[in-house]
Amino acid sequence: MKSFVKRGIKIIAAGLLGATISINLVAFMQARAMTRFAGGGERTAKPEQLSFLDAASVFIGGVNVPRPQNTRTPAALGLPFETHRFPSDKNSSTLDAWYVPGKEERLIVVLFHGYAASKSTILNATRVFHELGYAALLVDFYGSGGSSGDETTLGVEEARDVAAAVDYVQKTWPNRKLVLYGISMGGAAVLRAIAAEKVNAHAIILEATFDTLLNTGKSRFRAVGLPSSPFTELLLFWGSLQRRFNFFSHNPVDYARSVNCPTLILHGEKDQRTTLEQARRLARSFDGHARFIAYPDVPHMAIVDARPSEWTRDIRVFLEQLP
């Protein structure tokens, strides 16, 4: 009887050990896939579009995120533009940007896209800024579009790209008021640039931006019906080891405390990846000098595409009220 119990304990222990190793191996590969863009293939569907079985299959087999490419230029929207390239913080790599001039030469808006995207995804927002008379510079983060590389750090090292872009703007178009716009990961990068890279701006506009990477990671798992813990924690743990940065500390809600300029925060009430409560928590961290606007029935997407007239109105009012 004792030998039977011992054998059972060994089998259970071996099973637990195997499961632990397997889960950590999956998390390791997932973290790598999320921070290193693939050379091609079809991109894995958005989390909220996956069925439970599809999500489980992706969880085991891994996501596929091809390197983001620009699918159109400002010319497709009838906008004049120039292509600019300037050095990034990474070795001899360069960042690619489009400059769209405006009638109002006192202010320039620098736009930063979200995760696994490129500057062509923020063209509709750029058109609004142009119609309001403001110049715009659309920047591809390192690893996306026309910029160098094939990696992403979910807004961490992208903060250096924000700093490089700001430095370029200040040298190329001096004496202009500088407004930074970031959507999703782009918003996180803007906030980190202000906190960690000591970037200064006259105002910032944040859209669909998460409060902490841990929270937004959990939201992605919940969106497909998978347990958020411990999978999110394991994903961030292995990602931290791979990228040599503690992703548990990648928290825009903390970066926001370094912001001392007028801030506009825009968010969709139906955003499943970054919940409304997470967005409100981010807004509260600005110590009262941020304006928060929520848009009913809008999921995690560019709000200008879902509510163009309201978005344009709110942007206009904010920029016209800048001192």
Side-chain angles (χ1 to χ4, degrees):
M1 183 67 181
K2 289 183 178 180
S3 61
F4 177 78
V5 172
K6 288 182 178 179
R7 189 179 308 140
I9 293 175
K10 288 182 179 179
I11 292 174
I12 293 173
L16 290 175
L17 178 61
T20 300
I21 293 174
S22 297
I23 291 175
N24 276 275
L25 180 60
V26 168
F28 178 90
M29 297 305 295
Q30 291 280 6
R32 181 180 177 85
M34 290 188 67
T35 57
R36 295 176 186 271
F37 295 125
E42 186 175 350
R43 179 174 175 176
T44 301
K46 297 178 180 179
E48 56 270 20
Q49 297 175 337
L50 296 171
S51 67
F52 178 80
L53 291 178
D54 289 337
S57 176
V58 169
F59 176 76
I60 296 173
V63 296
N64 186 70
V65 185
R67 189 185 190 282
Q69 303 295 331
N70 289 306
T71 57
R72 56 180 182 165
T73 71
L77 279 66
L79 301 175
F81 77 102
E82 304 168 355
T83 298
H84 289 248
R85 293 184 177 87
F86 49 90
S88 75
D89 186 74
K90 286 187 172 233
N91 301 322
S92 58
S93 58
T94 59
L95 299 179
D96 191 89
W98 291 327
Y99 174 70
V100 177
K103 296 179 181 178
E104 173 58 72
E105 296 185 352
R106 295 178 302 169
L107 184 149
I108 182 170
V109 183
V110 187
L111 294 89
F112 301 95
H113 59 79
Y115 171 74
S118 66
K119 60 182 180 292
S120 66
T121 62
I122 46 179
L123 277 172
N124 288 341
T126 300
R127 175 167 55 185
V128 172
F129 288 120
H130 177 76
E131 291 173 349
L132 293 176
Y134 303 114
L137 185 75
L138 300 74
V139 182
D140 273 326
F141 281 126
Y142 179 86
S144 296
S147 295
S148 303
D150 57 4
E151 301 175 350
T152 179
T153 56
L154 309 173
V156 176
E157 293 184 13
E158 285 77 7
R160 298 179 181 176
D161 295 345
V162 173
V166 168
D167 180 68
Y168 182 77
V169 167
Q170 291 174 336
K171 291 178 180 177
T172 309
W173 300 281
N175 303 319
R176 289 197 186 187
K177 289 183 178 180
L178 182 64
V179 176
L180 304 180
Y181 166 92
I183 182 169
S184 192
M185 182 191 79
V190 166
L191 289 177
R192 179 169 172 80
I194 293 174
E197 304 298 325
K198 309 307 177 185
V199 165
N200 292 311
H202 291 90
I204 61 175
I205 302 172
L206 308 174
E207 186 169 326
T209 300
F210 56 87
D211 59 344
T212 71
L213 187 58
L214 179 63
N215 280 341
T216 194
K218 288 185 175 182
S219 295
R220 285 174 177 263
F221 280 104
R222 284 194 292 265
V224 295
L226 292 175
S228 60
S229 293
F231 300 130
T232 308
E233 287 83 357
L234 289 174
L235 194 65
L236 266 61
F237 171 77
W238 287 112
S240 298
L241 290 183
Q242 292 172 19
R243 305 305 305 182
R244 298 181 182 180
F245 175 85
N246 180 14
F247 278 126
F248 290 95
S249 67
H250 184 32
N251 302 324
V253 71
D254 296 328
Y255 306 149
R257 298 187 180 97
S258 298
V259 178
N260 55 17
C261 64
T263 302
L264 178 64
I265 301 176
L266 311 174
H267 208 84
E269 290 186 358
K270 296 297 184 180
D271 194 327
Q272 289 183 292
R273 300 191 213 175
T274 301
T275 66
L276 186 61
E277 177 52 39
Q278 292 169 19
R280 285 176 171 156
R281 182 179 174 227
L282 175 64
R284 288 194 296 268
S285 65
F286 283 86
D287 296 328
H289 63 268
R291 182 184 180 192
F292 179 79
I293 302 176
Y295 298 81
D297 301 318
V298 177
H300 191 81
M301 63 178 294
I303 299 172
V304 67
D305 296 337
R307 298 292 183 87
S309 59
E310 294 96 326
W311 190 89
T312 300
R313 175 201 63 205
D314 296 333
I315 292 293
R316 178 192 295 112
V317 169
F318 176 71
L319 293 180
E320 288 179 350
Q321 291 179 346
L322 291 181

